[in-house]
Amino acid sequence: MSPRQKIQLRETVTGPDPKATPAATLIVLHGLGTDGRDFAPLVNELNLSNVGAVRYVFPDAPLRKVSVNDEPMRAWYDPRPVAPVTGALSTQDEEGLRASQEVVQALIDREAARGVPPEHVVLLGFSQGAVMALMAGLRAPQRLAGLVVLSGYLPLPGTTEAEVHRSNRDVPIFMSHGDQDAVVVPSRAKASRDTLIDLGYDIAWHPYPMGHEVCPQQIRDLNSWLASLLAPWH
């Protein structure tokens, strides 16, 4: 899919003056089989008033055929089956990952064209969206503000070190995961965390007693992290 291909998205601006150029943008990437509306309530759950105006962008992944379903569904890439205990898989959908990386990069470029520089952009994703936050964020040619990985993992770990762009060699990363997650097993998330630490990243790691979901404490921890990360731009 070309980054120039139009995708459906929704957006909201919060702050004292919604018509003002935002101080920061959160690009929120949903999980498998849902769409941008799935995480739209996040706008009301986060309080970033210390930052000023914040734009939330909620894109829809394209409809595509996937291995886990007979009918096409919204997916950033094909989630090929994994081993139930270790979470290992033999191959990943590299073509789909790289195509969606271009889409996310196009959204970053779109924000720059509208007055929000990449260093004021956070990529935030859940599950597949979290995978794309790492896939696109680590490779982005412009420095980003930060990456938020909720119930995700590091894609293409064997090529990550060679492909990380120097602009994002030390981008801040918030990672959270449920210790009862049966979809993305905790061992896979922890292995991803450890790989990123080995690459020199300072990971804000937050485990929670939950499954493949979000919880109130997680949102509170994320709020604190984002408020601190973005506060200097108010």
Side-chain angles (χ1 to χ4, degrees), residues 10-149:
R10 302 158 186 84
E11 59 182 48
T12 300
V13 178
T14 63
D17 183 3
K19 295 183 179 180
T21 300
T25 293
L26 272 64
I27 297 175
V28 184
L29 306 169
H30 65 79
L32 177 67
T34 62
D35 60 28
R37 291 172 293 187
D38 191 41
F39 268 76
L42 192 68
V43 172
N44 298 321
E45 294 180 31
L46 293 177
N47 179 3
L48 298 176
S49 57
N50 68 312
V51 180
V54 175
R55 179 183 289 130
Y56 294 80
V57 178
F58 302 95
D60 291 350
L63 286 169
R64 67 173 77 224
K65 293 183 178 179
V66 296
S67 303
V68 297
N69 198 48
D70 293 333
E71 298 295 329
M73 59 195 310
R74 294 202 177 277
W76 297 107
Y77 56 92
D78 183 4
R80 293 170 181 168
V82 300
V85 176
T86 64
L89 76 170
S90 56
T91 60
Q92 295 187 52
D93 178 17
E94 183 171 352
E95 181 180 357
L97 285 162
R98 295 194 185 280
S100 288
Q101 175 193 343
E102 292 187 0
V103 172
V104 176
Q105 182 60 52
L107 292 173
I108 296 169
D109 295 340
R110 177 175 178 264
E111 288 307 297
R114 296 199 292 174
V116 181
E119 61 266 28
H120 292 196
V121 172
V122 174
L123 299 183
L124 184 158
F126 173 78
S127 194
Q128 273 208 345
V131 173
M132 289 312 309
L134 287 172
M135 180 71 191
L138 297 178
R139 294 165 174 80
Q142 318 99 324
R143 172 67 178 210
L144 300 178
L147 309 177
V148 176
V149 181

Side-chain angles (χ1 to χ4, degrees), residues 172-192:
I173 301 175
F174 178 102
M175 292 186 74
S176 66
H177 212 87
D179 59 16
Q180 301 161 30
D181 194 331
V183 177
V184 179
V185 294
S187 60
R188 191 176 192 192
K190 292 175 182 176
S192 297

